[in-house]
Amino acid sequence: MEVIVKESYDEVSRLSAELIADLIRRKPRAVLGLATGSTPLGTYKELIRLHKEDGLDFSKVTTFNLDEYVGLVHEHPQSYHFFMWENLFKHLNVNAKNVHIPDGTAKDIPEFCRKYEEDIIRAGGLDLQLLGIGGNGHIAFNEPGSSLGSRTRVKTLDDRTRQDNARFFRNMNEVPRYAITMGIGTIMDARQLILLANGAGKAEAIANTCEGPITAIVPATIVQLHPKATIIVDKPASAKLTREYPAEPHVLVLA
Ligand code: GLP
């Protein structure tokens, strides 16, 4: 696990976009796991810039999103479908057929979740999964206490998560109570993980994730077991880390 501390959110976003772009350049048919929330927005802006200015080609890329609220139609402004198309996909040359986002309106949700797992495998597995982190240490919508081996399924959202996300809705009653989410096991099967965090509100979750014991109470701590995980944070999110961390990824230079 590599922890990188950047001066600013912009620098976090640039490095994370560069790592994703690097994968796509090496593997044009890359399978990306994508995240929502405010954290990855800077990464998405930078990927759009790389597409428009440097011709980064998404035409063969396949994407799978981490999660979606149950009950929100795709056109709902707070649905993750809407978020992803508005903030990323509509600005890229991605093929809509290659875009996968959990369907919170599916009639048979358990069957949908089973098929989502199957679709990831059929696509060749996730090459890279981008992650944010909840203030309570959740990844995707795997709330504290989630099985560390879990697969795609429905989760009940914690009160804290609903409160954190209430700012996007008119009132608390409108905040969905359930979400479909990739499981922690699903995420850990990705060949590479990039976890981003910015702002002081994430400092405790980041300290637990990087330096605390692995526990289902802080689901993000599982990334310590991943063979290729990069955690990129800005200064405020790094405030509770006790060790020194570099500002650049480690590059092996062979003589
Ligand atoms: C939601 C998403 C997570 C995300 C988290 C943090 O709960 N399901 O994937 O990491 O929010 O959001 P933000 O980046 O806005 O802090």
Side-chain angles (χ1 to χ4, degrees):
M1 182 180 71
E2 195 172 26
V3 180
I4 296 171
V5 180
K6 289 289 191 189
E7 280 300 322
S8 66
Y9 172 66
D10 281 355
E11 286 183 35
V12 168
S13 302
R14 271 203 296 276
L15 176 58
S16 122
E18 201 37 61
L19 294 173
I20 296 169
D22 179 56
L23 168 69
I24 296 172
R25 289 187 200 111
R26 282 185 287 112
K27 186 176 180 185
R29 294 187 178 279
V31 181
L32 299 181
L34 296 176
T36 52
S38 49
T39 309
L41 280 174
T43 303
Y44 294 161
K45 282 207 180 86
E46 182 61 11
L47 286 175
I48 293 165
R49 192 193 66 75
L50 288 169
H51 168 64
K52 297 214 157 120
E53 293 177 14
D54 294 356
L56 184 65
D57 181 16
F58 287 81
S59 62
K60 299 187 186 74
V61 168
T62 295
T63 68
F64 286 89
N65 259 79
L66 284 171
D67 46 13
E68 175 62 288
Y69 292 116
V70 169
L72 295 195
V73 293
H74 300 179
E75 302 71 34
H76 192 290
Q78 296 311 329
S79 79
Y80 287 172
H81 275 79
F82 189 87
F83 177 101
M84 289 307 298
W85 280 99
E86 273 311 294
N87 293 303
L88 185 65
F89 297 140
K90 80 173 189 192
H91 308 283
L92 304 176
N93 64 335
V94 74
N95 183 340
K97 279 192 290 200
N98 296 339
V99 169
H100 304 81
I101 305 173
D103 182 2
T105 66
K107 292 248 157 10
D108 184 344
I109 289 183
E111 171 58 16
F112 178 86
C113 294
R114 197 195 53 72
K115 184 149 181 308
Y116 203 67
E117 290 276 332
E118 217 175 79
D119 289 347
I120 293 173
I121 291 167
R122 195 167 300 135
L126 301 168
D127 288 306
L128 183 154
Q129 178 63 59
L130 182 65
L131 297 166
I133 184 169
N136 61 4
H138 75 219
I139 45 176
F141 271 130
N142 294 288
E143 298 285 23
S146 292
S147 158
L148 297 178
S150 50
R151 312 303 307 188
T152 303
R153 69 215 183 291
V154 173
K155 282 296 288 179
T156 305
L157 303 182
D158 268 19
D159 284 345
R160 163 133 190 215
T161 302
R162 293 186 66 235
Q163 275 154 19
D164 284 352
N165 292 345
R167 63 189 193 276
F168 301 115
F169 295 84
R170 273 182 303 203
N171 56 59
M172 263 306 271
N173 281 339
E174 279 190 13
V175 185
R177 287 170 194 280
Y178 304 98
I180 297 176
T181 180
M182 274 188 207
I184 297 175
T186 322
I187 292 167
M188 287 293 284
D189 282 349
R191 293 178 194 99
Q192 181 179 359
L193 300 181
I194 298 178
L195 187 149
L196 308 178
N198 66 290
K202 300 291 172 69
E204 190 170 346
I206 285 298
N208 286 330
T209 298
C210 301
E211 297 179 351
I214 297 172
T215 167
I217 296 304
V218 185
T221 56
I222 194 69
V223 305
Q224 294 176 25
L225 287 179
H226 196 282
K228 197 175 177 193
T230 310
I231 300 182
I232 313 172
V233 302
D234 70 353
K235 275 268 150 66
S238 77
K240 294 192 175 170
L241 291 170
T242 63
R243 300 182 58 231
E244 289 290 311
Y245 296 97
E248 297 299 333
H250 180 72
V251 182
L252 180 63
V253 183
L254 295 173

